[in-house]
Amino acid sequence: MTEPTKPAAWGAPVPAGEPKKAWSGRKTAIAAMVAVLIAAGGGAAIWAGTAANGAEQGQGGMMGGPGGGRMIFGPDGGMPRDALHGDFVVSDGKGGYRTERLQTGEITEISATSISLTSKDGYQQVYTIDSSTRKTGDPKTGETVTVTAKVAGNTATATTIGQAGQNQRGQNGGPRPGY
């Protein structure tokens, strides 16, 4: 009768005379295929999640922000897509900073030198228009537009006037006007 063998302690070398058990080529190939399928499935899930996000965002490089908010990202940074109005501080590119204003609203008056907007929440602002103001199309009274402006004291000078929801700062990858 043979004596039962004791199991080897974890990490102990394999006793001499016993062959090491190795995976066959077939098992290795199957394991590699499973790993590829898992990676492909994960990639597909990520793609599906981001593609659905992209479809609802359209063009313009928008991404979900904290709390489900939406941001429009361009060459100069980001701003909330659904913002009605607000001021923000940006670098002036010369080591300093400047204040800019964003407003989306209905044009209540427009002339060669100024534009007046009223946002959905009732906020009203008059912006100066000068030779460096860029316009998308031919804005008219009653249309909803987004204005981005430089703010100096009590004066807000429109740098861009465009379709509501467009990224007005640095639009089309070009430099911001007047800087």
Side-chain angles (χ1 to χ4, degrees):
M1 188 168 181
T2 19
E3 285 188 36
T5 57
K6 289 185 184 178
W10 178 256
V14 176
E18 292 185 30
K20 292 183 180 180
K21 293 185 179 180
W23 279 21
S24 68
R26 183 176 180 199
K27 282 185 179 180
T28 303
I30 291 172
M33 286 183 356
V34 168
V36 167
L37 288 173
I38 290 171
I46 291 169
W47 176 82
T50 57
N53 233 358
E56 71 186 37
Q57 294 166 1
Q59 296 177 351
M62 292 175 262
M63 297 179 66
R70 296 280 184 229
M71 298 289 287
I72 300 175
F73 287 95
D76 299 307
M79 62 185 75
R81 175 182 69 177
D82 298 327
L84 293 179
H85 53 85
D87 290 359
F88 49 97
V89 177
V90 297
S91 170
D92 67 3
K94 302 172 190 166
Y97 302 92
R98 72 173 165 274
T99 301
E100 292 189 3
R101 180 166 296 149
L102 171 82
Q103 182 180 2
T104 298
E106 184 178 318
I107 300 172
T108 53
E109 290 183 47
I110 188 166
S111 71
T113 58
S114 68
I115 184 170
S116 300
L117 295 186
T118 301
S119 296
K120 288 180 181 179
D121 66 346
Y123 175 81
Q124 298 177 341
Q125 176 71 47
V126 177
Y127 299 91
T128 301
I129 296 175
D130 64 18
S131 61
S132 67
T133 303
R134 291 187 304 161
K135 299 178 191 172
T136 302
D138 185 23
K140 295 178 178 33
T141 301
E143 291 181 347
T144 299
V145 296
T146 298
V147 171
T148 304
K150 295 185 290 186
V151 178
N154 292 328
T155 303
T157 304
T159 54
T160 60
I161 303 169
Q163 297 172 348
Q166 281 186 331
N167 181 7
Q168 300 298 309
R169 295 179 65 236
Q171 189 174 19
N172 299 326
R176 291 180 298 222
Y179 303 113

